[in-house]
């Protein structure tokens, strides 16, 4: 009898299993694919970041190293090698999970898991063998899948989702992306840098899923447009067809029927929870109207002994959040105090410039009637950003007008994804803008822009 069977070995499931192992639980983690790591390691965060880094190096060598007085000639793309490097990074990391399972006493099992009853999980392996696992508790961490778009059928060659766009074997001449969200902007950036013409068709009048701070969204759109990405906003895609390797996408924009032709089409319009053939009906566990499994603050579902974390539950679909939920869920099973503060979860888009945020946007604060002060500081006045030749962007901090508590922070600029960590910790600790302003920040670093933005909340920036 297991103490816990985890279904799914993505960041939610595999981290939960490791924590359970650390706490002395007898734990198994079942994964239907041959490697552990889930979407994030196999076809998500890691391969996309590998390509973002490589393509940025290529663009820098071609267009920006000259500004440093470093003249390089004959810069060439070896796409096969770039893709191979990405695969090697993924391979190393997924192997690492098998090692971590062993180290922490987690039994990793490959096969499709079906819940038979509250205490039984059946696993059907690729080898045709069936295993029955008896367990005290079940944790569902089955993640998510791309949302399909009616009228646009993926053929996995010309019309693809994010997984296909991580492995094009040649640089598209013209890549059309449906959806100006995180996937569209990150993968659109990769292929633009490598030489493709990129057009993004978005349903909303804004990019970044309409969720970003308004100043950030405006600068992001301007910068990506300057880089060469073309946007068709406020546009409803009506269909796509492939003929002799050419894709035609049709869409309606301001009452007009339009179409574009391209050689590759990427659909990135969001993801939905994945619970197919999981056997939820066997335990009477229903999903909500959007397919998510609802849980309480300890990640308990409505069925006793059955828990859920990660993309399969409502909330942002982020790897670090899935991990955090997995840890808290297992710690609560062991009566250890733990919680996830959803206000303090950072969100990063790994484009160039990077975009990062934590907490509320100005628009959300206004809507909630919260009085706040905003401090904003540009990377242009920062010595390190100048040395990097990377000065586009700013840090914006929003603090409660009366208490000065930080309610939100928004960064667009170099290494925004790393810089947001300090502000996420400040939000978690209920810190104030004054706390950041009075903390020592090394010189010359990009982090000084965070400090200046905190000083700007009180109207006293020192260098701008
Ligand atoms: P998943 O990682 O989806 O793992 C679920 C696992 O469960 C899968 O391996 C699946 O095979 C398995 N499974 C499902 N059903 C069964 C079953 N019945 N039996 C056995 N196994 C089953 N997030 C970030 O925070 N940062 C990023 O930079 C980032 N980049 C991304 C880039 C892309 C292209 C994509 C697609 C996503 C990205 N994400 C990123 C999102 C991130 O990948 C997810 O939020 C994260 O993987 C969710 O973890 P999870 O454990 O809930 O689910
Ligand atoms: P998304 O929700 O970020 O963006 C989808 C975009 O598609 C939105 O702007 C939406 O308005 C638009 N859209 C929806 N339907 C449309 C239609 N019919 N026509 C045109 N546009 C349409 O979703 P995305 O980019 O697919 O990413 C899925 C999830 O994966 C995200 O929610 C994110 O959590 C995660 N992810 C995270 C990353 C990160 O943290 N850096 C990177 C990539 C993915």
């Amino acid at each position: 009898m297991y103490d816990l069977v985890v279904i799914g070995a993505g960041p939610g499931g595999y981290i939960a299993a490791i924590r359970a192992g650390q706490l002395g639980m007898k734990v198994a983690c079942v994964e239907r694919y041959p490697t552990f790591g889930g979407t994030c390691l196999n076809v998500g965060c890691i391969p996309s970041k590998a390509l973002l880094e490589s393509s940025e190096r290529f663009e820098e060598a071609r267009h920006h190293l000259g500004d440093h007085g470093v003249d390089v000639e004959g810069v060439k793309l070896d796409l096969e090698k770039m893709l191979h490097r990405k695969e090697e990074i993924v391979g190393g990391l997924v192997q690492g999970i098998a090692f971590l399972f062993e180290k922490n006493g987690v039994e990793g099992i490959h096969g499709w898991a079906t819940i038979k009853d509250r205490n039984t999980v059946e696993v059907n392996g690729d080898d045709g063998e069936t295993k029955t696992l008896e367990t005290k508790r079940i944790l569902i961490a089955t993640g998510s899948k791309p949302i399909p778009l009616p009228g646009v059928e993926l053929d996995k060659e010309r019309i693809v989702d994010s997984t296909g766009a991580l492995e094009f074997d040649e640089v598209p001449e013209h890549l059309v992306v449906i959806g100006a969200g995180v996937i569209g902007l990150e993968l659109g950036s990769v292929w633009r840098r490598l030489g493709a013409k990129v057009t993004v068709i978005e349903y909303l009048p804004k990019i970044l899923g309409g969720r970003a701070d308004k100043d950030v969204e405006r600068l992001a759109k301007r910068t990506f447009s300057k880089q060469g990405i073309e946007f068709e906003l406020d546009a409803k895609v009506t269909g796509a067809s492939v003929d002799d390797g050419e894709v035609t996408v049709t869409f309606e924009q301001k009452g007009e029927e339009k179409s574009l032709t391209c050689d590759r089409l990427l659909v990135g319009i969001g993801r939905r929870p994945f619970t197919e053939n999981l056997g939820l009906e066997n335990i009477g566990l229903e999903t909500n109207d959007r397919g998510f499994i609802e849980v309480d603050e300890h990640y308990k579902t409505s069925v006793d002994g059955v828990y859920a974390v990660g993309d399969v539950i409502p909330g942002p679909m982020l790897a670090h959040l899935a991990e955090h939920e997995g840890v808290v869920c297992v710690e609560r099973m062991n009566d250890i105090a733990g919680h996830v503060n959803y206000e303090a979860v950072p969100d990063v888009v790994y484009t160039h410039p990077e975009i990062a945020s934590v907490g509320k946007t100005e628009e959300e604060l206004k809507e909630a009637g919260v009085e706040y002060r905003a401090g904003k500081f540009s990377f242009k006045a920062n010595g390190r950003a100048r040395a990097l030749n990377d000065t586009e962007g700013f840090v914006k901090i929003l603090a409660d007008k009366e208490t000065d508590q930080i309610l939100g922070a928004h960064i667009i600029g170099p290494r925004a994804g790393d810089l947001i960590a300090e502000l996420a910790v400040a939000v978690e600790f209920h810190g104030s803008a004054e706390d950041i302003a009075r903390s020592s920040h090394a010189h010359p670093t990009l982090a000084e822009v965070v400090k200046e933005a905190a000083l700007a909340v009180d109207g006293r920036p020192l260098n701008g």
Side-chain angles (χ1 to χ4, degrees):
M1 172 75 89
Y2 291 96
D3 293 313
L4 175 66
V5 169
V6 180
I7 305 179
Y14 89 78
I15 288 289
I18 289 174
R19 186 70 185 117
Q22 285 177 348
L23 291 169
M25 296 173 92
K26 182 170 162 53
V27 56
C29 183
V30 188
E31 170 55 52
R32 70 190 170 110
Y33 285 123
T35 53
F36 299 121
T39 305
C40 174
L41 270 75
N42 290 283
V43 292
C45 328
I46 299 303
S48 60
K49 264 79 263 179
L51 289 184
L52 277 156
E53 287 297 344
S54 296
S55 59
E56 204 171 319
R57 295 280 200 286
F58 180 63
E59 175 152 281
E60 196 163 294
R62 279 216 302 182
H63 301 299
H64 306 300
L65 280 184
D67 298 341
H68 289 266
V70 180
D71 283 329
V72 283
E73 271 173 31
V75 176
K76 274 196 315 220
L77 173 66
D78 184 342
L79 182 60
E80 204 180 322
K81 192 165 177 184
M82 200 179 272
L83 294 176
H84 182 69
R85 174 184 175 273
K86 172 204 68 168
E87 289 307 323
E88 277 193 338
I89 293 170
V90 168
L93 288 172
V94 297
Q95 263 175 23
I97 297 179
F99 164 78
L100 288 172
F101 275 180
E102 226 176 276
K103 183 178 159 204
N104 291 284
V106 178
E107 190 180 338
I109 301 175
H110 292 285
W112 189 291
T114 311
I115 302 172
K116 289 292 167 186
D117 63 43
R118 258 168 40 180
N119 300 106
T120 316
V121 175
E122 195 175 274
V123 183
N124 293 293
D126 285 344
D127 52 6
E129 269 198 38
T130 302
K131 271 193 189 138
T132 303
L133 314 177
E134 300 295 330
T135 179
K136 291 182 192 156
R137 305 173 193 85
I138 296 170
L139 170 55
I140 301 171
T142 48
S144 62
K145 284 275 158 214
I147 296 176
L149 180 56
V152 182
E153 206 173 309
L154 305 191
D155 66 1
K156 299 201 173 176
E157 195 202 338
R158 295 285 153 190
I159 308 183
V160 299
D161 58 19
S162 54
T163 302
L166 288 167
E167 54 192 24
F168 290 144
D169 54 5
E170 56 185 18
V171 178
E173 266 180 42
H174 186 190
L175 170 67
V176 171
V177 182
I178 307 178
V182 208
I183 287 180
L185 295 172
E186 287 188 356
L187 294 180
S189 293
V190 165
W191 294 106
R192 181 202 58 75
R193 292 170 192 164
L194 298 181
K197 169 182 161 76
V198 175
T199 310
V200 182
I201 307 178
E202 165 61 48
Y203 185 73
L204 298 173
K206 291 177 182 176
I207 67 168
L208 290 162
R211 298 180 294 265
D213 171 272
K214 138 166 119 337
D215 294 342
V216 168
E217 195 268 346
R218 206 176 296 139
L219 179 59
K221 176 156 176 290
R222 204 174 66 213
T223 311
F224 298 146
S225 301
K226 243 195 295 177
Q227 290 171 355
I229 296 183
E230 290 176 13
F231 291 100
E232 297 289 354
L233 301 183
D234 237 335
K236 184 171 183 285
V237 172
T238 47
S241 58
V242 186
D243 186 17
D244 202 16
E246 189 177 77
V247 188
T248 304
V249 197
T250 51
F251 59 99
E252 285 170 17
Q253 198 179 35
K254 294 182 185 123
E256 243 184 275
E257 293 280 344
K258 296 187 174 175
S259 72
L260 278 173
T261 54
C262 57
D263 52 339
R264 307 273 187 171
L265 176 64
L266 161 61
V267 184
I269 60 162
R271 293 177 65 85
R272 61 177 182 189
F274 181 76
T275 55
E276 270 163 46
N277 298 325
L278 182 59
L280 294 184
E281 63 289 355
N282 298 333
I283 49 169
L285 180 55
E286 285 187 6
T287 54
N288 71 14
D289 55 357
R290 297 186 54 222
F292 290 98
I293 297 177
E294 299 274 356
V295 290
D296 69 7
E297 73 274 25
H298 297 154
Y299 305 99
K300 288 181 178 167
T301 69
S302 57
V303 178
D304 210 25
V306 180
Y307 302 75
V309 297
D311 283 9
V312 79
I313 67 168
M317 291 183 171
L318 297 169
H320 47 286
L321 178 58
E323 290 187 4
H324 198 168
E325 289 170 346
V327 168
V328 168
C329 174
V330 167
E331 290 185 343
R332 292 298 310 150
M333 288 175 195
N334 289 275
D335 290 329
I336 298 171
H339 76 293
V340 177
N341 175 1
Y342 286 85
E343 286 302 314
V345 177
D347 197 342
V348 180
V349 185
Y350 297 84
T351 45
H352 190 97
E354 281 185 358
I355 298 166
S357 66
V358 64
K360 300 273 188 253
T361 60
E362 276 197 70
E363 296 71 55
E364 285 168 335
L365 292 176
K366 276 184 193 144
E367 212 174 285
V370 177
E371 290 205 85
Y372 65 91
R373 292 193 300 175
K376 194 170 164 190
F377 201 83
S378 167
F379 284 96
K380 287 200 171 66
N382 176 263
R384 188 63 181 278
R386 286 189 175 228
L388 283 167
N389 201 22
D390 204 352
T391 55
E392 188 80 274
F394 57 83
V395 176
K396 185 200 248 189
I397 296 177
L398 309 170
D400 188 282
K401 194 170 176 189
E402 214 161 293
T403 66
D404 197 39
Q405 183 179 342
I406 298 175
L407 304 173
H410 305 275
I411 308 179
I412 176 167
R415 296 286 163 196
D418 294 313
L419 294 176
I420 201 71
E422 171 182 7
L423 291 157
V425 171
V427 173
E428 182 70 51
F429 288 4
H430 302 274
S432 64
E434 190 68 12
D435 289 331
I436 299 273
R438 290 197 176 273
S439 301
S440 186
H441 291 68
H443 176 75
T445 61
L446 297 170
E448 287 172 294
V449 183
V450 175
K451 177 176 171 149
E452 290 282 6
L455 283 163
V457 168
D458 192 40
R460 49 179 227 271
L462 294 165
N463 287 288

